[in-house]
Amino acid sequence: MMADLAIRESQAQAKPAAGDALTQRLAVLPHPASGITAAARQDALARLEKMGLPGRRDEYWRFTNPGVFNDPVPAPIPVQTDANDSPLFEDIDRLRLVFVDGRFDAAASDALTGEGFQIDLLSAAEATASHWAGEVYGVLEANGQTPVSRPFAALNTFAATEGVLIRVSGQVARPVHIIHRRRSDAADVNLHHVLLLEEGSEFTLLETGMIGARSNIVIEADLRAGARLHHITAKLASHPKVGIGHIFARVAAKAQFKSFELSVNGRMMRHESVVDIAGDDAVAHVAAAVLGNTADGPFHHDNTVFITHAGERCESRQVYKKVLSDGAVGVFQGKILVKPGAQKTDGYQISQSLLLDGDSQFLAKPELEIYADDVKCSHGSTTGAIDETALFYLRSRGVPRERATVLLVLSFLAAALDEVENADLRERIAERLEEWLMHRAQNDRTQNPPA
Amino acid sequence: MLEIKNLHAELEDGSKQILNGVNLSVPAGQVHAIMGPNGSGKSTLSYVLSGRDGYEVTEGSAKLEGQDLLDMEPEERAAAGLFLAFQYPVEIPGVGNLTFLRTALNAQRKARGEDELSSGEFLKIVREKAKTLNIDSDMLKRSVSVGFSGGEKKRNEILQMAMLEPRMCILDETDSGLDVDAMRLVAQGVNALRSPDRSFLVITHYQRLLDHIKPDVVHIMANGQIIKTGGPELALEVENSGYGDLLSEVG
């Protein structure tokens, strides 16, 4: 009896408490101390210490193990020496900002100037006496911590070493394109971007590339009345990569927020969208097309969405499509919260998975919470396989099985891609996706030649 | 062109025998019609010939210009010159009609060792052929069959046929769901494709389609077999007295 108790005690000592995990995590994080964001960072640290790191028992992490984000350092991933930038968007007119392992590469980037907007690096702004972002940095992130806490976003606000601060005053047609490059095996990247779109302005932000062995990205987007933001992120990850991202948006009256994510592969990825529709007649659309197989290792992709309607006559859309094979796991947690007084809300949420084999899993948790009586809100979630009739139809026209399957995967993803408003950008994404799918299909064939 | 001998087929799970020894020969340049009551195996015959999953051929053979169809994948049968116009063309949202047509055409050309068509060449041909079928550029741009009316879907099938230029065309109840005008348009499209080196197998319940697409030979199918073969007058006989008399006559 005594011995039994002793063993239990020693086990309890061996397993560090949650507080210790945070201490270990913080010990190896950079602590950018002074500068315009100093107060926001201290505030974030205090909030983080209060909430602690998430555990498996947290309801919000029920489907996704936070372990790899809790670890003090990421597992290294060998850098492929022949890794090139994604050809996506490469021949459109845009302002290129290149980040290597989370550090800005001025030589590889375009000059930080443009018509209708002001752009600065977080690191440069920190050193100035005053900067507009000092008032904004961390604010939307902090607001987004209720009713659900998001510790990794607070951690990011505290520790982010770099980011882009963009203040938009005009209608900007030329997108800003953030291009990530990996050059070291074990980079643990924390980036924090702030976008402020002044009244009636319009802006497009593109993100592509490989970010570190582990990444933690926060985007705060404050859309003032009538502003329009188009955000497109396309991540083609190496298989062992782990990453977490948050986008916090506040959408004022008549403003329009659209965010689209294309995500391919990665061992453990979680993308949270937290949208606060604050004004009347505003629009917020979030969408993702996610593809994963586990041919080179496990794949787990989690989209977690929280949309709050506080204004009247606002529209929100959540369109999430996941293509899973070889035991891949897709997760979707999506919530629409309609606050009292948010009458005539039009909220819609759809999450769908296409399972290319019987081993894969899709876990969906749709939620509606409505405190207004004159609203239209609906959600749907489906899981299905390739439509055999459609496959036969395509093959009967001479399209080989492999290519027919690719066309049907693209067909499945089309509704998510349609959320990219700009037709030119949308077609580029679709073309790139098709190339990648064909490439993968051919690889599969070489690796598993038909008997 | 098409030689079917003693073809037996059942559902893959073995639950039901559907074709019970079909014998059929369609020479080059001819139009043959197959009529028959519901459940006689007409559509199954078209699926078995084009290679749809779910059926098991247990006996017999089917050859297209001497090539064994039953050994081939559906896409190989298409490249060999077989085409099935579906009774219910499938909607494929998010895949443009033009993209689909070009993908199909070039895949077949590639399979036959021919050069793929450039975008320009392809567009020129498709616009020309679409025009004769009253298919406007909007329909070409839209997703495959999505939002098409019944008539538009069938016209789109005939456009695919015109583009792919198969040797052997099977039309599976192409008249179903069509009004008189739409049927005439579809029939005109098919008639325009008639040529000495192309054959047609027209599966239909009703004689009225055969007023517009004049068959050389009419077959009556029942219980998974061809029970009677004759000239166009056989279709009229069915129209006037139904299948009952014929079935009892054959016994």
Side-chain angles (χ1 to χ4, degrees):
Chain A
M1 185 74 185
M2 286 296 285
D4 189 30
L5 214 115
I7 289 167
R8 269 196 227 153
E9 266 174 16
S10 76
Q11 276 175 345
Q13 279 163 4
K15 193 181 160 206
D20 289 337
L22 180 59
T23 309
Q24 287 174 19
R25 183 81 163 87
L26 291 173
V28 288
L29 271 182
H31 288 52
S34 62
I36 56 158
T37 63
R41 288 175 191 271
Q42 282 315 305
D43 176 63
L45 178 60
R47 286 187 283 113
L48 175 60
E49 282 172 335
K50 208 168 159 192
M51 62 183 105
L53 291 174
R56 287 244 51 187
R57 290 200 190 143
D58 282 298
E59 178 62 22
Y60 219 49
W61 289 87
R62 215 172 107 197
F63 302 125
T64 298
N65 186 345
V68 291
F69 306 122
N70 287 338
D71 289 344
V73 291
I77 305 168
V79 172
Q80 285 174 312
T81 46
D82 60 346
N84 291 318
D85 290 342
S86 159
L88 189 59
F89 309 135
E90 71 181 355
D91 54 355
I92 63 167
D93 182 29
R94 83 278 198 220
L95 190 146
R96 292 174 314 128
L97 303 177
V98 176
F99 287 81
V100 178
D101 296 321
R103 278 187 300 276
F104 184 64
D105 184 342
S109 302
D110 293 326
L112 297 180
T113 55
E115 194 84 11
F117 63 100
Q118 180 197 334
I119 182 166
D120 297 295
L121 293 170
L122 175 60
S123 58
E126 292 282 17
T128 59
S130 89
H131 189 278
W132 62 267
E135 304 296 313
V136 185
Y137 183 91
V139 172
L140 295 185
E141 177 266 304
N143 290 346
Q145 295 289 353
T146 45
V148 189
S149 60
R150 306 169 198 280
F152 298 109
L155 183 143
N156 175 291
T157 297
F158 164 65
T161 44
E162 192 54 288
V164 181
L165 312 172
I166 302 173
R167 182 170 188 159
V168 187
S169 54
Q171 308 257 339
V172 183
R174 190 178 180 221
V176 163
H177 184 185
I178 296 176
I179 300 165
H180 293 284
R181 290 178 184 158
R182 274 192 74 215
R183 292 295 179 265
S184 73
D185 291 351
D188 189 20
V189 176
N190 293 288
L191 292 175
H192 193 117
H193 309 304
V194 179
L195 307 175
L196 174 59
L197 274 71
E198 288 177 2
E199 206 170 307
S201 66
E202 182 162 5
F203 190 71
T204 302
L205 178 69
L206 310 174
E207 290 180 280
T208 59
M210 307 259 242
I211 320 170
R214 178 169 71 182
S215 61
N216 179 337
I217 311 289
V218 165
I219 297 177
E220 296 183 280
D222 193 353
L223 282 70
R224 302 285 163 82
R228 292 158 70 90
L229 175 65
H230 312 273
H231 169 240
I232 297 170
T233 176
K235 294 173 196 136
L236 184 74
S238 62
H239 255 289
K241 182 187 154 55
V242 303
I244 185 161
H246 292 80
I247 184 160
F248 295 93
R250 178 163 60 197
V251 188
K254 296 197 168 85
Q256 182 193 290
F257 169 76
K258 288 200 170 180
S259 177
F260 170 82
E261 176 201 5
L262 169 67
S263 190
V264 176
N265 289 340
R267 175 155 70 98
M268 178 65 70
M269 310 289 281
R270 170 142 158 160
H271 189 85
E272 296 192 22
S273 303
V274 185
V275 183
D276 184 9
I277 307 179
D280 297 336
D281 303 296
V283 172
H285 289 202
V286 288
V290 175
L291 300 101
N293 64 4
T294 62
D296 302 316
F299 171 88
H300 182 110
H301 191 287
D302 174 337
N303 281 103
T304 291
V305 181
F306 199 114
I307 294 185
T308 306
H309 280 264
E312 291 188 29
R313 296 176 304 277
C314 295
E315 172 189 296
S316 71
R317 294 284 177 270
Q318 301 173 44
V319 184
Y320 286 82
K321 302 265 191 170
K322 304 202 178 197
V323 182
L324 305 167
S325 60
D326 301 313
V329 179
V331 175
F332 174 76
Q333 307 189 92
K335 177 155 182 169
I336 305 173
L337 168 63
V338 181
K339 287 194 161 174
Q343 302 295 11
K344 305 285 181 195
T345 287
D346 175 3
Y348 176 67
Q349 176 198 94
I350 181 82
S351 64
Q352 296 182 300
S353 70
L354 177 64
L355 306 184
L356 297 181
D357 54 44
D359 300 332
S360 305
Q361 260 193 81
F362 181 58
L363 305 163
K365 186 177 152 197
E367 284 181 284
L368 297 178
E369 194 176 332
I370 299 171
Y371 298 101
D373 57 9
D374 184 14
V375 304
K376 191 171 82 183
C377 278
S378 59
H379 64 78
S381 184
T382 65
T383 295
I386 285 275
D387 178 348
E388 289 297 328
T389 306
L391 185 63
F392 171 62
Y393 185 66
L394 291 170
R395 295 178 73 195
S396 77
R397 297 301 179 256
V399 182
R401 175 190 278 278
E402 202 163 79
R403 179 135 177 101
T405 305
V406 167
L407 285 176
L408 292 176
V409 167
L410 289 170
S411 165
F412 169 76
L413 295 173
L417 258 73
D418 281 347
E419 291 297 332
V420 176
E421 206 173 280
N422 181 310
D424 179 44
L425 297 179
R426 184 172 62 238
E427 276 158 31
R428 284 165 194 276
I429 295 169
E431 275 168 27
R432 178 81 188 108
L433 198 50
E434 186 171 354
E435 273 171 32
W436 182 82
L437 284 165
M438 280 310 292
H439 178 73
R440 186 177 74 172
Q442 278 149 13
N443 274 358
D444 282 356
R445 196 181 44 197
T446 17
Q447 278 161 19
N448 310 300
Chain B
M1 175 74 67
L2 181 67
E3 289 288 340
I4 304 172
K5 282 191 183 143
N6 193 30
L7 190 64
H8 288 69
E10 57 184 30
L11 290 180
E12 206 168 45
D13 57 13
S15 63
K16 198 176 171 204
Q17 176 90 16
I18 303 179
L19 300 182
N20 293 303
V22 175
N23 288 293
L24 182 66
S25 172
V26 185
Q30 288 198 355
V31 174
H32 285 214
I34 295 188
M35 303 181 74
N38 291 325
S40 58
K42 305 185 300 292
S43 287
T44 297
L45 178 63
S46 70
Y47 290 147
V48 168
L49 290 175
S50 50
R52 186 175 185 152
D53 281 347
Y55 303 96
E56 173 88 36
V57 173
T58 50
E59 207 182 328
S61 66
K63 289 186 173 166
L64 180 66
E65 295 186 294
Q67 292 177 273
D68 186 357
L69 280 177
L70 303 178
D71 259 3
M72 299 184 203
E73 296 292 333
E75 55 266 34
E76 293 169 335
R77 300 180 198 208
L82 186 73
F83 182 92
L84 170 65
F86 278 48
Q87 184 179 358
Y88 304 108
V90 179
E91 295 186 9
I92 308 177
V95 175
N97 213 8
L98 278 178
T99 308
F100 164 54
L101 260 178
R102 194 171 158 214
T103 304
L105 182 60
N106 278 337
Q108 289 201 17
R109 292 178 70 96
K110 199 176 163 196
R112 290 192 295 257
E114 299 163 13
D115 284 341
E116 295 187 12
L117 284 186
S118 74
S119 184
E121 291 167 314
F122 168 78
L123 277 175
K124 190 163 169 268
I125 302 171
V126 80
R127 287 208 180 107
E128 217 166 83
K129 300 202 169 179
K131 208 173 157 191
T132 63
L133 286 159
N134 252 356
I135 291 174
D136 59 22
S137 57
D138 180 55
M139 252 178 85
L140 289 176
K141 278 185 213 146
R142 267 147 56 187
S143 295
V144 180
S145 284
V146 176
F148 287 19
S149 71
E152 286 173 336
K153 283 183 182 171
K154 297 298 169 72
R155 263 150 50 205
N156 200 39
E157 292 286 285
I158 306 305
L159 174 65
Q160 292 171 22
M161 195 190 279
M163 288 302 295
L164 298 173
E165 300 184 315
R167 308 291 305 276
M168 180 73 228
C169 310
I170 304 173
L171 280 69
D172 184 12
E173 301 196 24
T174 292
D175 49 338
S176 71
L178 293 189
D179 62 33
V180 181
D181 294 334
M183 187 158 66
R184 191 173 298 129
L185 206 55
V186 164
Q188 278 169 8
V190 171
N191 289 332
L193 290 171
R194 289 182 72 159
S195 86
D197 55 4
R198 180 173 294 132
S199 311
F200 291 84
L201 190 59
V202 181
I203 295 171
T204 181
H205 273 294
Y206 304 107
Q207 190 268 336
R208 56 175 193 175
L209 178 65
L210 305 179
D211 284 343
H212 301 287
I213 305 173
K214 298 256 187 282
D216 299 296
V217 178
V218 174
H219 307 276
I220 307 295
M221 192 165 180
N223 299 320
Q225 284 180 317
I226 304 287
I227 56 160
K228 192 165 185 185
T229 295
E233 71 287 350
L234 193 53
L236 286 168
E237 199 180 310
V238 168
E239 188 75 3
N240 292 332
S241 36
Y243 292 111
D245 288 354
L246 275 171
L247 294 176
S248 59
E249 185 185 313
V250 180

